[in-house]
Amino acid sequence: RSPSVIHVSPGMCHFLSAQPFCSLHLQLQMSENPYLSGSISTKSSAPGVIVATGNIGSELSYNNVAMFISSDAGNNWRQIFEEEHNVWFLDKGGALVAVKQPTVPTRHLWISFDEGRQWTRHSFSALPLFVDGVLVEAGAENQIMTFFGHFSHRSEWQLIKIDYKSIFTRRCTEGDYQTWHLHNQGEPCIMGQKQIYMKRRPGNYCMVGWDNSRILSAEPCICRAHDFECDYGFDRRGDGNCLPAFWFNPSTLSRSCSQGQNYLNSTGYRKVVANNCTKGVKEMYTARKQQCLNRPPRGLVLTTHDDKLTANMGSNVTFLVRLEEGDSMRTNIQLDFGDGTAVSYSNLSWTQEGIRHVYRSAGIFRVTTLAENSLGFDTSSLHLHVTCPVEHIQLLAPYVVIKNKEVNLTAVVWPSHFRTLTYFWWLGNNTEPIITLDSSISHTFSTEGMVTVTVQVSSGDSILQNTRSIAIQEFFKSLLLSFSPNLDEANPDIPEWRQDVGRVIKKAVADIPEEQLLVAVFPGIPTAAELFLLPSRNQSDGRKRTEEDLEQISEILVNALNQISVEFELKPGSRVIVYITQLTLGNKTVVLHTVCSYSDDLVDICSVQLLIFDYISQKIPWINIYAEVNHEKEQEMISTVGQNDATPKITLNEFSTQKELMEKELEACAKRE
C-alpha cells in the first residue's frame, strides 16, 4: 500500500472541525484478482473521473474506509459509499456499476449515470452471492457484464450474465456531450499543454456505444520554471534552485569529449519528460552546447574487473582504467604490470573492454598506470597478490633443544612461493599465534618438557599445517648411528618405517630407560640415525640425571655398539647391526649434527650441519654434549674402546649442502606424485 494525500473540497470539512487539518488519504492497493476493480481506478474514455478507496482525517488509516469519486481529475472529491466497493466503468465510461467487496454476500448492484452523484439499486440474483469478480465484455453492440462467485464457501461457482442495454432509453446525440477543460486547481496548463476534452453530460440516460470522448484541442503553453526538474547530479535547495550535489563535479567533462568537438553543458535543469511547453524559460534552462577544451588528465583510477586484489597464478587478470577529467582521445595510457612487462595505448578508448594479463609467477606485484597528455599527467596504482595453491608444507625443527637457547624453526612449502604466504606459528600452549610473512622464525623455550609446535600457512583461501613435537632439556647428548647395508634394502622411505626403526633400536638398548632415549632415523641419505640421551629422572631415587650420568650411559652405549651387541632381526635370516659412525678427514674430524623432520605427505627433508673440529690424537666416538647457554660446556670427546678400523671413511665433498638436499627431496616428491 502506497498512500497518496489529496486535499478535499472545503465543503467536506464542516463536520471535521475537531481535526488539526482535513485531508483525504487514498489507498493504492493492486488487486491480485484481475476481475476486481482495484482501490484506485480510472478510464481514458471517461476523462476526469477517478474512483478511489480512502479515509478522511489527519493520516492514512485502514479503519473507517469509504469510497470517493472525483469528476475533475482529482481537484475535488465526493464520498459515494461508506463501505468498500468494487466499481466498474460501463458503456465506455458513460455509467458506473458498484458491488460490495466479496467478503460480504449481496443480491444488489448500484448504477450511476451522473458520475456518482446519484445511485440506483438493482437486483441481479435471487440469493445473496459472494461476488469474486465481474467481466465487462467489450464491443460497440455488446452491453453484457458477467458476475461470477459462489453462494457459500463450499458451493460451486455461479455465473450470472446481465445485459444492461435495456436500462438505456436511447443512443446519445451531439447535444448529450459537453466540453471539459483539464486543470490543476484552476491552472489550465498541465504538462505544458492546455487540453479540452469532449465527454457525455452527467445525468443523461443515453447509450454512448463508442468512445466519443476525445481531445478537442491541445495548445502548448509557455514554459515556466515548474516545467523543469533538477538534472542528474543536482539537488533542489530551499530557495527552489537546482544546485550541484556534494558528490557531483559539474566541471567534469565526458571522457569521450576531445579537443575540437562539442558537448552539452548542463544548466542544472532538464524539462520534465513528456512535457510539451515551448519558448518562455526553455532556453534559460536547456543545456548549452560548448566546445571541448584540452585538459590535463585528472582522477585516474586503476581497478580489476571484479574489484579483487587477488588472482591465481596462470589465470587472466583484467585491469580497468578510468579517467574522470581530461581529453581521453588525446591522452596516452601506460600500464606496468609489475612483473617486468608493460603496455602502452595512444588513447583511453582502447582500454574500454579492459587490459588482460597473465602472471607466470606468484608474488605481490605493484601495478601502475600513467595517463599523460601535453598539459600534464596523472598516476594510479594497486598491489595485486598473485597466489599459487600450496600442496605440501614441511616444518623443519630439531628434535631436542636446549632450554633458554634460541632455536630456528623453518617451514618449507611446495611448490615454492615468493612473498605471498602468511605463516601462523603456534608454539607450545600459546593461545595466540605468531604471524609472519617469513618462512622462518627464532624462538627461545624457557620450560623443560615436550612442546608441540604447529605452523599453518595461508595461501589464498586455503590453509595447510604441519606439527612437530620438540623435547626441551637443560642438556642432552647425541650419538650418530649407522646400520648394516641390508636395512636400506627394505627402506620404503616413509615416516612410519623410520618411526618403527627408532622404536626397535630403543627396545634393543635394554639397559637404558625408554623415556631417556629419542631416536631419529634420517631420510634421503644412506640409512643413518641420531640417538639422543635425555636427562630423565632416576626411577629408584627420583633424582634427575646429571651430565656425568649421561657420560656414563654414553660409555655403556659406545662399548655396546663397538662390540656389536646392539642388533635386531629385520626378517628371518636377516639381522641388522647398529654401528657408531665416525668420519675422519685428514687431520680433522667431522661431526654430523643432523636435524630431520617428517610428515604424512611423504615429503621428508633433513637439515645437515657439518661441524669440523681440530683433530685430537684419539678417534672420536661421535658423542656430542649440548648444555644450556649460561653453563655451556665444551664438547667432550671420549676415546673409543676397541674401535673397528674398518669403519668406513667418508670425505666432506660427498655430503650435499642443505639447499641441495631440500631440492633433491622436493624433486623426488614431485616424481612420486
Side-chain angles (χ1 to χ4, degrees), residues 463-608:
I463 295 180
L464 296 180
Q465 76 174 30
N466 192 216
T467 301
R468 282 288 309 276
S469 295
I470 301 176
I472 313 300
Q473 298 293 335
E474 186 177 354
F475 58 89
F476 67 92
K477 293 188 178 184
S478 69
L479 181 65
L480 192 64
L481 306 177
S482 61
F483 308 95
S484 53
N486 59 331
L487 177 63
D488 200 46
E489 297 175 359
N491 182 4
D493 198 23
I494 61 175
E496 292 78 9
W497 179 83
R498 288 185 286 275
Q499 294 170 4
D500 290 340
V501 172
R503 285 192 289 267
V504 170
I505 295 174
K506 289 199 294 184
K507 186 176 181 181
V509 186
D511 295 336
I512 301 176
E514 185 176 349
E515 67 273 7
Q516 195 171 354
L517 296 178
L518 180 61
V519 179
V521 181
F522 303 154
I525 59 176
T527 307
E530 186 171 10
L531 186 148
F532 296 92
L533 299 177
L534 307 180
S536 61
R537 295 188 179 274
N538 193 314
Q539 293 183 356
S540 60
D541 56 9
R543 180 180 62 85
K544 185 176 181 180
R545 290 182 172 87
T546 63
E547 295 181 35
E548 289 73 15
D549 295 331
L550 294 187
E551 291 175 3
Q552 295 176 5
I553 297 173
S554 65
E555 290 181 8
I556 298 173
L557 278 174
V558 170
N559 291 331
L561 291 169
N562 285 325
Q563 295 172 9
I564 315 180
S565 61
V566 179
E567 59 180 346
F568 58 90
E569 189 175 46
L570 179 64
K571 57 184 178 180
S574 177
R575 301 191 67 81
V576 177
I577 301 174
V578 183
Y579 298 93
I580 188 170
T581 303
Q582 176 178 349
L583 306 181
T584 304
L585 183 66
N587 63 347
K588 304 279 186 178
T589 296
V590 182
V591 179
L592 275 83
H593 175 55
T594 306
V595 178
C596 298
S597 59
Y598 320 115
S599 70
D600 295 334
D601 54 17
L602 305 185
V603 180
D604 310 305
I605 302 173
C606 287
S607 172
V608 181

Side-chain angles (χ1 to χ4, degrees), residues 178-214:
Q178 66 178 8
T179 59
W180 176 74
H181 295 257
L182 177 64
H183 67 94
N184 178 20
Q185 299 295 326
E187 170 57 53
C189 289
I190 307 296
M191 294 294 290
Q193 276 188 334
K194 295 179 181 179
Q195 297 183 11
I196 301 176
Y197 289 84
M198 177 71 74
K199 69 175 183 177
R200 199 196 67 167
R201 295 178 184 274
N204 287 10
Y205 291 82
C206 63
M207 181 184 299
V208 175
W210 67 91
D211 190 359
N212 199 36
S213 59
R214 61 186 183 275

Side-chain angles (χ1 to χ4, degrees), residues 314-463:
S315 63
N316 263 322
V317 182
T318 302
F319 296 96
L320 301 178
V321 181
R322 298 194 304 272
L323 186 64
E324 293 184 358
E325 295 184 25
D327 187 350
S328 60
M329 303 298 294
R330 298 174 182 267
T331 299
N332 294 324
I333 302 296
Q334 299 177 20
L335 185 61
D336 188 341
F337 299 108
D339 61 349
T341 57
V343 293
S344 179
Y345 298 90
S346 59
N347 61 68
L348 193 64
S349 62
W350 291 95
T351 68
Q352 290 180 356
E353 296 183 358
I355 305 172
R356 295 184 178 182
H357 183 66
V358 177
Y359 287 88
R360 301 299 180 184
S361 61
I364 304 176
F365 299 93
R366 186 174 186 268
V367 186
T368 59
T369 181
L370 169 68
E372 185 177 18
N373 62 19
S374 59
L375 297 181
F377 67 93
D378 195 8
T379 61
S380 181
S381 65
L382 60 83
H383 291 84
L384 183 70
H385 293 243
V386 179
T387 61
C388 177
V390 176
E391 299 177 10
H392 305 286
I393 179 175
Q394 188 70 32
L395 175 59
L396 301 183
Y399 282 94
V400 187
V401 299
I402 298 298
K403 182 180 70 173
N404 295 327
K405 188 173 184 179
E406 190 174 68
V407 62
N408 291 328
L409 306 174
T410 302
V412 179
V413 297
W414 176 261
S416 59
H417 284 63
F418 178 66
R419 296 189 304 169
T420 60
L421 302 180
T422 304
Y423 297 87
F424 300 84
W425 304 86
W426 305 84
L427 306 177
N429 295 325
N430 291 350
T431 57
E432 295 292 334
I434 299 174
I435 304 175
T436 67
L437 297 178
D438 194 358
S439 61
S440 298
I441 64 169
S442 297
H443 186 71
T444 301
F445 296 95
S446 59
T447 304
E448 290 189 48
M450 296 297 296
V451 297
T452 300
V453 176
T454 299
V455 61
Q456 292 180 332
V457 59
S458 174
S459 173
D461 56 355
S462 64
I463 295 180

Side-chain angles (χ1 to χ4, degrees), residues 617-667:
S617 58
Q618 304 158 323
K619 294 183 179 180
I620 303 175
W622 295 98
I623 296 180
N624 303 327
I625 300 178
Y626 304 87
E628 191 177 351
V629 177
N630 54 10
H631 60 278
E632 185 174 3
K633 296 179 61 178
E634 293 293 332
Q635 293 191 343
E636 298 184 8
M637 304 173 203
I638 303 176
S639 61
T640 301
V641 179
Q643 177 73 23
N644 187 359
D645 292 336
T647 302
K649 303 297 188 295
I650 304 175
T651 59
L652 182 62
N653 57 11
E654 295 183 35
F655 288 92
S656 301
T657 63
Q658 178 179 353
K659 180 179 179 182
E660 292 172 342
L661 284 173
M662 290 183 183
E663 293 176 351
K664 289 180 181 179
E665 288 299 321
L666 293 177
E667 290 175 1

